[in-house]
């Protein structure tokens, strides 16, 4: 039976027991919490947005979304599994663990992240807009859209597959890789790209404004 725990906006730091299992959602947004108990498992959503959380326990498993936006957390633990989406907007995260698993979308906009672990698979969308990302790993697979708008990235890996749209507006990419597949829209606005590869596959529209 699903049971949610809502402690949002408490005026004091909540104390949670070790090995706690929450069968629904755990809402801690806006609290003064700085650390989670070891052995925590949340079947639903875990919301830590706008808290002072600084670390997560190793092996944390969240069945649905994990929200860490606007927190001071600097790194994620090994063995982290997120069944839904992972929100890291406006955090000081610089790198991701090599064994990170995200079933939904991964939102990294406005973080200082510069690279992603090799073999990363994101079930839905990957938002890297307004980050200092300079390259993408080979073998990257994105089920939804991939947003690289206004980043310093200059190239894409060969064989990149994006299930949704690919946004490259405002980047310095000069050419697209071989075997690029985009299921949705491909937006190349305000890029120095002058020609397209002969084997390019785009399922949606093609945006070429100011290219």
């Amino acid at each position: 039976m699903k049971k949610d725990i809502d402690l949002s906006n408490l005026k004091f730091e909540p104390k949670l027991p070790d090995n706690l299992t929450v069968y629904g959602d755990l809402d801690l947004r806006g609290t003064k919490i700085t650390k989670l108990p070891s052995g925590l498992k949340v079947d639903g959503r875990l919301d830590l947005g706008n808290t002072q959380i600084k670390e997560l326990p190793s092996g944390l498993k969240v069945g649905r979304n994990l929200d860490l936006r606007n927190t001071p957390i600097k790194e994620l633990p090994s063995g982290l599994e997120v069944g839904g989406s992972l929100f890291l907007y406006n955090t000081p995260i610089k790198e991701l663990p090599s064994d990170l698993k995200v079933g939904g979308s991964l939102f990294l906009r406005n973080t200082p992240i510069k690279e992603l672990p090799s073999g990363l698979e994101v079930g839905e969308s990957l938002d890297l807009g307004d980050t200092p990302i300079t390259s993408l790993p080979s073998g990257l697979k994105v089920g939804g859209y991939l947003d690289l708008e206004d980043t310093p990235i200059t190239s894409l890996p060969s064989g990149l597959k994006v299930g949704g749209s690919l946004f490259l507006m405002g980047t310095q990419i000069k050419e697209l890789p071989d075997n690029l597949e985009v299921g949705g829209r491909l937006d190349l606005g305000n890029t120095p790209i002058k020609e397209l590869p002969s084997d390019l596959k785009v399922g949606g529209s093609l945006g070429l404004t100011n290219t």
Side-chain angles (χ1 to χ4, degrees):
M1 182 177 182
K2 179 180 176 181
K3 291 186 178 180
D4 299 333
I5 297 178
D6 187 351
L7 301 174
S8 58
N9 300 310
L10 280 182
K11 301 303 182 182
F12 55 88
E13 181 175 359
K15 301 294 184 181
L16 302 175
D18 289 340
N19 301 310
L20 173 66
T21 295
V22 180
Y23 295 102
D25 299 337
L26 177 55
D27 192 344
L28 295 164
R29 57 186 164 169
T31 67
K32 299 182 183 299
I33 196 164
T34 59
K35 185 178 180 180
L36 294 177
S38 61
L40 175 66
K41 181 182 178 182
V42 181
D43 288 348
R45 172 179 56 88
L46 175 55
D47 195 338
L48 292 160
N50 297 296
T51 67
Q52 294 303 307
I53 195 77
K54 295 179 179 178
E55 61 180 317
L56 299 177
S58 178
L60 176 64
K61 292 176 174 55
V62 180
R64 293 175 58 199
N65 296 345
L66 173 56
D67 195 335
L68 292 163
R69 72 185 80 192
N70 303 317
T71 66
I73 196 163
K74 294 183 178 180
E75 61 181 8
L76 300 177
S78 61
L80 176 62
E81 296 183 14
V82 181
S85 297
L86 176 55
F87 297 86
L88 294 168
Y89 293 129
N90 303 318
T91 64
I93 294 277
K94 293 183 178 180
E95 61 181 358
L96 301 176
S98 60
D99 58 355
L100 175 66
K101 296 180 180 179
V102 179
S105 298
L106 178 55
F107 299 101
L108 289 158
R109 183 173 289 268
N110 292 323
T111 64
I113 198 156
K114 293 184 178 180
E115 61 181 5
L116 301 176
S118 61
L120 177 67
E121 292 189 18
V122 179
E124 296 180 7
S125 299
L126 176 56
D127 188 350
L128 290 160
D130 294 310
T131 66
I133 196 86
T134 56
S135 64
L136 296 178
S138 59
L140 177 65
K141 296 179 181 179
V142 180
Y145 71 78
L146 173 57
D147 193 342
L148 293 162
E149 182 180 4
D150 294 327
T151 64
I153 197 165
T154 57
S155 64
L156 299 176
S158 178
L160 176 65
K161 292 177 173 56
V162 180
S165 298
L166 175 56
F167 302 104
L168 298 174
M169 304 87 76
T171 67
Q172 294 304 307
I173 291 177
K174 295 181 179 180
E175 60 181 10
L176 297 178
D178 295 333
N179 302 314
L180 175 63
E181 295 183 15
V182 180
R185 174 181 173 82
L186 175 58
D187 200 322
L188 304 172
N190 297 310
T191 65
I193 291 177
K194 295 182 179 180
E195 61 180 347
L196 302 176
S198 59
D199 59 357
L200 174 65
K201 296 179 180 179
V202 180
S205 57
L206 183 61
L208 297 169
T209 305
N210 296 325
T211 58

